[in-house]
Amino acid sequence: MKNILIVFGTRPEAIKMAPVIKEIQKFPDIFNLTVCVTAQHRQMLDQVLYLFEIKPDIDLDLMKANQDLFDITINVLKGLKEVILRVQPDLVLIHGDTTTAMTTALAAFYHRIPIGHIEAGLRTYDKYSPWPEEINRQITDRIATYLFPPTIKSKENLLTEGCIEENMIVTGNTVIDALHYVVEKIQNSANIRTKLSEVIIASGYNAFENLRSKNRKLILVTGHRRENFGEGFINICMALKEIALRNDSVDIVYPVHLNPNVRKPVNEILSGLPNIFLIEPLDYEPFVYLMNESHFLISDSGGIQEEAPSLGKPVLVMRETTERPEAVSAGTVKLVGTDKYLIISEAETLLRDESAYMKMSKANNPFGDGNASKQIVNFLKQKLYEKYAN
């Protein structure tokens, strides 16, 4: 039996790690799995754990009010020291670009434990965009033993940086596995759809029940990135306000992130407009349902650049750079930064130009087919056990 330790701390990590956990759990005769959460994000993390029916074996519960990157790094490193000593893993699995992932990699390295990094190789090569995620991911890739790039481009980045090819495999992104799981649940149950509609209406989008019957279009917005704080968010909000004023048959729904640097400009600029709905952050399941009902998305999220194309939803990305250039090349997303006029222009195009909309909507999603977790686990079986080697 090989001891596998999986560590994550945020909602995006939990969503993308859940299918991997489920796949490893299919092989209890060869893998002894321990799931540890740092709770870098407490409330949002717990929502995902409940949805995917995952109960952590270890919960460090590190989230504190007004924590900064120093606090998270110090506390995760200290907490993981004891966890690794207790579990004695043969392999530590981490995901992505969070401070939890980077610090867990460092803790495992200090114990000389091999690391597997899921979603490796994404790059902008601008260390301040996204910040601190770009450097978090580069550090994690440099430390990791086994690398799971989601695309050929991310694999090429790793090879250029001198990583060993036989220790990596292109898998697609596990978020597509998670998305398929949730969409299938929603599509197969009228009761679930009814309950999710009630959740969305209760969150503040009280026009949701009339969306289809009144033939309105929904623009779903998410925004939370640190590099957009200040002037960037003001520009974003001014653009959304203008789009709303120009298009009274369009609903703009914005689940507003809890960070006060986001809430202050959003509430000051966008409150009181009849077709803008500022709602509380949604759990993953109702968010997927709302995403599937939307016409397109405006977002600065990395994960949405991967998820929305699987649902045929174009994305305007409010970032100057993206570590997912495959989506730009495929035509499923467009970079608009925080340029007020560019956001307005591209949104108007998607609302009024059917051919432009269909070109983005029907573009092929470059992030996989929903089998990433199976490929990761099969690769680990081959690497950790001689009898499974080709």
Side-chain angles (χ1 to χ4, degrees), residues 186-206:
I186 294 170
Q187 290 177 340
N188 290 340
S189 173
N191 286 338
I192 289 177
R193 292 194 296 275
T194 298
K195 289 178 181 177
L196 294 178
S197 296
E198 292 171 353
V199 168
I200 291 167
I201 292 167
S203 73
Y205 183 25
N206 49 30

Side-chain angles (χ1 to χ4, degrees), residues 36-39 42 58-63 75-76 79-80 83 86:
C36 172
V37 297
T38 65
R42 176 79 271 171
I58 301 169
D59 188 337
L60 297 179
D61 195 21
L62 296 180
M63 183 172 178
N75 292 329
V76 171
L80 263 294
V83 169
R86 188 195 326 171

